[in-house]
Structures are given as structure tokens and as C-alpha cells.
Amino acid sequence: MSEANEANEPVEPVVDPYAEYEALRNHRPVSREEGGPWRVALYDDVRHVLKTHVDFSSEVSQRMQEEEGSTPTMLFTDPPAHDRLRGLVSRAFTPRQIAAQEDQITARCEALMADLASSPRGDLVTAFAAPLPVGVIATMLGVEDGDFVQFKRWSDTIFTDIGEILIGTPSPEAIAAGEEMSAYFLERIAELRRQPRSHLLSDLVYVDTDEGRLTDGELLMFCFLLLIAGNETTTSLIVGCTRVFHEMPETFARLQGSPELIPGFIEETLRFYSPFRATLRKATRDLEIAGQPIAQGDLVLPLIASANRDDRVFERADQFVIDRNPNPHLAFGLGIHSCLGATLARMEGRIAVASMLRHLEGITLCNPTDPELDGFGAPNSILVELQRAA
Ligand code: HEM
């Protein structure tokens, strides 16, 4: 039964997703609610679903498949279309291209954190964790400074409606933002075809292999995919790190004394508070997962965040172990769709944390039970108190 607040309105109890995952792992490892997808909770089963793309298709977005003339995006396609797109994009999205972002990420983190840390209280998300990845991607796509505010507005509007965009009916605002952003990037792509520049989008325009080149539509879809796949998740990672600092302030002090622990801290945060909590697949034939029959066409939800807390694989799975090693978490997925931006995300996380450690003595959440912390996707706002470094 729900409680009531001072205004006597019902307040939904805060649901702890990790307690729910544990109950699923222990009692109903492959299960579903009436009409819902099959939730897969154990590490080995999640791993199996992610790896076995022949049995578990990524072509789950009904709307995208039905829309005439729509260009597929690699996240929602199977081979051979997926292999072609991933192969072409990987030629430009190289370790070198990503390493080249280090300076812009550091400069952004420093400016945003200096600003946030100038007050004793602020909004971690709107002032730091959200603008950072949007700014990084905008720069990689060659969005000019003057167009940045507009780009941020489009990406915010699209995010707000992402569930509907993928499997439902997008809002008129999201459709309009999508159309404006498409027109903007098509114009940029046409300019780049006339004159190359030195950024990721330009490199993508000029990728040329035996598989051919990326069409305007494919380039456009990739710009959207970077926004969808890359921004919310990176924002969530930074929020996750801050949540760890709040819940275990000793981690903050430990990293200040031993910054070489930062990469391991990021891995453990990815495991402990996985930003991409679950993904979706569709069974391509009648099959079984851990003995549970699944019918062809049924949707399957591999619970990445649950797999990452499975104590059959991770010792002391519900404890944050700053130097956990090995740490075979599935936060970036596995198999043919494993995250293309993992190196970039890790770098952003690492530099963001280093920046916090430089400017602050500590950081705490004003409302540690904020339901937004465990909501789907990144929170829109998280108030924090900042203990500024002397
Ligand atoms: C902490 C941050 C991030 C997390 C936790 C994350 C997680 C994931 C996961 C779990 C998948 C696989 C989804 C599936 O199998 O259905 C994925 C795919 C993908 N991610 Fe990330 N991601 C992050 C950041 C980024 C960034 C920064 C970018 C790019 C700028 C990016 C680009 C992509 C792309 C393009 C795919 C699709 C790959 C494919 O279908 O072959 N991600 N990500």
C-alpha cells in the first residue's frame, strides 16, 4: 500500500531494483509478467543471449522496420546489414580518433567542474554530467559553437521521448526535433562532401571500403545513434560515480591518495550501477533459456544490471570493491553489438572523476533516495552538496 505525503497525496514506495533483481535471480531467473518480455536475470544466461545473435535478434523496433524507406541503425539490425554498418563506422571511430578527444574532454570537465564547484550546492546533472557527453559528441560531429545550444535542445527533446521513438508513437515535439536535426546534419554532410574537415563526421563521410561508402541516410542514422547510445549512458556513469562517493566517502579519499585506482573504480562503478540496465532481443525460433521454453517472436530482456550483481560470478557482488580484479562485467554488452563507444565512455568517466578529485574534498547527494537515481535512463536533475578543495 502506498503512503501519503503532507499534502495527503499517495507516494509510491521507492523500489530498489537491485533487491528485485536478486529475487529474480534466486527464484525466477527467466520469467515474465503477463504480456511483457522474458526477463533474464542470471549472468550466464544474459551472456548467452547477448552472444547468440543468431537466436536472439536485435531487430526489435517494430516501428523502424515498418516505416517505409527508413534506414536501419546498427543497434537494431542483424547481420549482414549490421556487419556492413559496423565495419564502415569502425574505420572512422578508431582508437586514434578517440584518443584525440582527450584534450577537449579535459578542458570541458575542468570548465564545467570549476563552475559547479564555485557554489556549495548545485545540480550535478544539468551542470556537469549531461553537458559533458553532449559537448564531446557535438565536437566529434563538427557542430559549430553557434549551433551548440540548438543541438543540445534537439538531443534533449529526442531523449525525453526515446521509449516512444523506438517502440511507440513519438511526440510531435520529438518528430519536429528529429526533422530539424536531420536537415541540419544533411546540410553539414553535403558541405563535407565538398570539403573534408578534421572530425569524426568528416572521416565517416570519406570511409571507403569493399563494402562501399555510407549513404547520407546511414550517416544521419549514425549521428542519431551516437546521441541515443552515448549521452544518457555517460551521464548515468558520472551520476553512478557520485552516488558511490556519497554512499562510500572513503572511496573519494582513497582515489585522491591513489589516482592510479581511477580506471578500476570506473569499471566497478559500471558493474555496481550499470548505466545501460537492460537491452532487448527477439527470439528467432522456438528455443529454451535455462530450461524455460521461449516461443519464436517473443521479446527477451537481458538484465545487464542484474547479471553484474550475480554472486555466482562476482564475489561479494553487492559490495563495491574499488580494485576488483578480474571484473568481467557486462555493462558494455557483449558480442557483435558490444558498445562501440566503450573506450570513449571510459575516458570521459576517468577524466570527470579526476576533475572532481581536483576541485573537491567530497561530494554528497542532497536526496539520496531520489527515485530518479534508479529510474530508466539518466536522471534529469540531481542536487549535490560540494565540499570545495582549499
Ligand atoms: C557508460 C557509457 C556507456 C554504456 C554503459 C554503454 C552501453 C552500451 C551497451 C550495453 C550496448 C549494447 C546494446 C545491445 O547489445 O543491445 C551499447 C552499444 C552501443 N554503444 Fe554504448 N554505452 C556507453 C557509451 C557510449 C558512447 C559514449 C558511445 C558513442 C559515442 C556509444 C556508442 C554505442 C554504439 C554505436 C552502440 C551500438 C553498437 C552496435 O550495435 O554494434 N556508447 N552501448
Side-chain angles (χ1 to χ4, degrees), residues 12-200:
E12 288 306 319
V14 177
V15 180
D16 173 3
Y18 298 99
E20 233 182 307
Y21 294 149
E22 188 179 3
L24 287 176
R25 285 194 304 274
N26 290 336
H27 305 295
R28 304 172 67 206
V30 184
S31 62
R32 68 171 168 185
E33 306 289 343
E34 188 63 38
W38 290 100
R39 293 167 307 187
V40 179
L42 290 173
Y43 183 95
D44 284 349
D45 298 335
V46 169
R47 202 169 185 281
H48 169 72
V49 171
L50 293 177
K51 273 186 74 174
T52 320
H53 62 267
V54 178
D55 288 343
F56 300 99
S57 165
S58 288
E59 297 192 354
V60 291
S61 176
Q62 200 68 21
R63 206 179 65 80
M64 282 183 187
Q65 273 147 52
E66 282 168 1
E67 227 165 61
E68 219 168 296
S70 80
T71 313
T73 160
M74 78 170 92
L75 188 57
F76 301 109
T77 48
D78 293 333
H82 172 267
D83 298 352
R84 172 178 177 277
L85 289 172
R86 179 134 180 163
L88 283 166
V89 162
S90 303
R91 295 294 282 262
F93 208 90
T94 55
R96 204 162 132 235
Q97 171 74 251
I98 291 164
Q101 309 308 320
E102 178 141 11
D103 288 351
Q104 68 129 331
I105 297 173
T106 307
R108 275 180 202 286
C109 281
E110 278 303 291
L112 293 170
M113 189 41 70
D115 203 29
L116 179 64
S118 64
S119 312
R121 217 167 198 243
D123 189 329
L124 174 79
V125 175
T126 58
F128 186 67
L132 174 66
V134 177
V136 170
I137 288 178
T139 303
M140 292 177 80
L141 294 178
V143 174
E144 311 280 338
D145 273 356
D147 299 331
F148 181 73
V149 173
Q150 203 180 30
F151 178 77
K152 171 97 176 53
R153 189 174 53 77
W154 291 328
S155 87
D156 286 348
T157 312
I158 291 168
F159 275 154
T160 315
D161 210 37
I162 192 66
E164 288 297 316
I165 291 172
L166 296 179
I167 49 175
T169 314
S171 69
E173 293 78 23
I175 294 175
E179 284 171 358
E180 284 172 32
M181 203 170 113
S182 299
Y184 175 84
F185 276 111
L186 284 174
E187 210 174 293
R188 296 288 88 78
I189 292 165
E191 282 168 14
L192 292 168
R193 289 206 191 281
R194 289 192 291 276
Q195 193 182 358
R197 306 279 293 272
S198 65
H199 52 65
L200 175 71

Side-chain angles (χ1 to χ4, degrees), residues 292-341:
Q292 170 64 55
I294 310 280
Q296 178 177 4
D298 279 359
L299 289 176
V300 175
L301 192 73
L303 296 171
I304 290 175
S306 169
N308 285 342
R309 295 280 192 115
D310 189 344
D311 58 12
R312 293 153 192 81
V313 174
F314 299 97
E315 243 178 69
R316 294 179 287 152
D318 276 327
Q319 282 178 35
F320 188 91
V321 180
I322 199 166
D323 51 0
R324 186 181 287 278
N325 187 17
N327 192 347
H329 66 72
L330 301 176
F332 289 119
L334 202 75
I336 62 167
H337 291 280
S338 70
C339 181
L340 192 67

